[in-house]
Amino acid sequence: MRILLVEDDATTLKYVADGFTAQKYQVDSATDGQEGLTLAKHNQYDLLILDRMLPKLDGLTLLSALRTSGNKTPVLILSALSHVDERVKGLRAGGDDYMTKPFAFAELLVRAEKLAQRNVVEPAATEIEVGSLKMELLTRKVTLDDSELMLQPKEFQLLKYLMEHPNQVISRTLLFEAVWDYHFDPRTNVIDVHIAKLRRKFEELGHGELIETVRGAGYRLCKRH
């Protein structure tokens, strides 16, 4: 975790920086709001710990400038201003958490780690697997019992949506809007046609029951296979 600490009180700055450094985290620091804003804009941080009252540029102005620029780094505000109105101002300005001074470092550490974890972006999935049915999203390869299925683009999109919601009943309306991307026309049978095509391909491999019709509700991809 890389942290930017913006704090003008030398004692507090050393206390916090030493604490995070002891936990093997990297800490950059600034002692005024202008310097803090410059560092935040030109570097990538997992967390910004920001004093509320700062020289040159106060903490809330710094925070507002960051959010206006599109910076979404989690921000934990430290402040001697403990009144509820001040906490509300800090959160409304774009802060993610607010701690008042004096504080225990153990609590600050836990809050900081939880905020930083929230900012972690999980890598996008490249494969969906439902039983013996597998879909590789990058190559668009679909296999059932290790046998490859040749799908048309809409068949692929339809199956993908069903695989993303295994064992759930998905209405025809929802499938139509998710795959065809426009409002459902109750007179069309396009969903039924594509479901039938998928079923025939499953039947060839002995899995015709993989997609279940739920009368009056929609379709369900069964996960038990």
Side-chain angles (χ1 to χ4, degrees):
M1 179 162 63
R2 187 180 183 190
I3 300 168
L4 174 60
L5 171 61
V6 188
E7 171 62 66
D8 66 321
D9 180 77
T11 301
T12 303
L13 187 148
K14 185 176 187 307
Y15 171 64
V16 173
D18 287 351
F20 280 108
T21 301
Q23 298 296 318
K24 309 301 182 185
Y25 295 134
Q26 180 182 343
V27 181
D28 293 347
S29 62
T31 56
D32 66 68
Q34 191 60 60
E35 181 186 8
L37 181 59
T38 300
L39 285 173
K41 283 186 172 181
H42 292 89
N43 297 280
Q44 188 72 37
Y45 294 103
D46 299 296
L47 177 68
L48 170 58
I49 298 177
L50 178 65
D51 186 22
R52 172 71 171 78
M53 307 294 289
L54 292 166
K56 295 187 179 179
L57 196 67
D58 73 85
L60 295 192
T61 302
L62 187 164
L63 180 53
S64 295
L66 275 184
R67 296 303 189 230
T68 300
S69 70
N71 189 305
K72 297 180 180 179
T73 303
V75 174
L76 190 157
I77 300 171
L78 286 178
S79 179
L81 303 174
S82 60
H83 194 276
V84 65
D85 288 345
E86 295 299 334
R87 298 200 299 273
V88 169
K89 285 180 184 178
L91 296 173
R92 282 184 172 168
D96 298 278
D97 200 355
Y98 193 107
M99 286 186 69
T100 56
K101 301 176 181 178
F103 56 88
F105 179 77
E107 182 183 358
L108 175 62
L109 176 63
V110 171
R111 291 196 186 197
E113 289 177 335
K114 286 188 176 297
L115 283 179
Q117 287 169 6
R118 254 196 260 165
N119 200 41
V120 173
V121 177
E122 295 293 333
T126 59
E127 184 177 290
I128 307 173
E129 186 171 338
V130 179
S132 59
L133 182 63
K134 298 179 182 180
M135 175 179 283
E136 296 177 10
L137 300 179
L138 298 180
T139 62
R140 300 180 74 83
K141 180 180 179 180
V142 179
T143 59
L144 179 58
D145 287 340
D146 296 322
S147 297
E148 186 170 357
L149 294 168
M150 305 308 295
L151 303 181
Q152 295 299 316
K154 288 301 181 185
E155 293 170 0
F156 180 90
Q157 290 176 254
L158 182 59
L159 181 58
K160 176 177 178 288
Y161 194 85
L162 290 170
M163 290 181 71
E164 289 173 335
H165 305 83
N167 279 350
Q168 296 180 33
V169 177
I170 309 297
S171 69
R172 294 170 71 248
T173 301
L174 186 56
L175 284 172
F176 195 85
E177 292 182 349
V179 177
W180 277 265
D181 199 28
Y182 51 91
H183 292 299
F184 179 68
D185 181 351
R187 296 167 296 179
T188 184
N189 66 344
V190 65
I191 295 290
D192 311 277
V193 169
H194 281 77
I195 289 289
K197 288 180 178 179
L198 284 174
R199 276 205 181 111
R200 283 197 295 271
K201 293 176 181 181
F202 292 153
E203 284 170 356
E204 292 174 3
L205 298 174
H207 289 287
E209 74 286 5
L210 192 58
I211 298 178
E212 178 184 357
T213 299
V214 181
R215 186 179 296 275
Y219 299 98
R220 173 167 52 207
L221 181 70
C222 301
K223 197 174 183 179
R224 58 181 177 270
H225 297 281

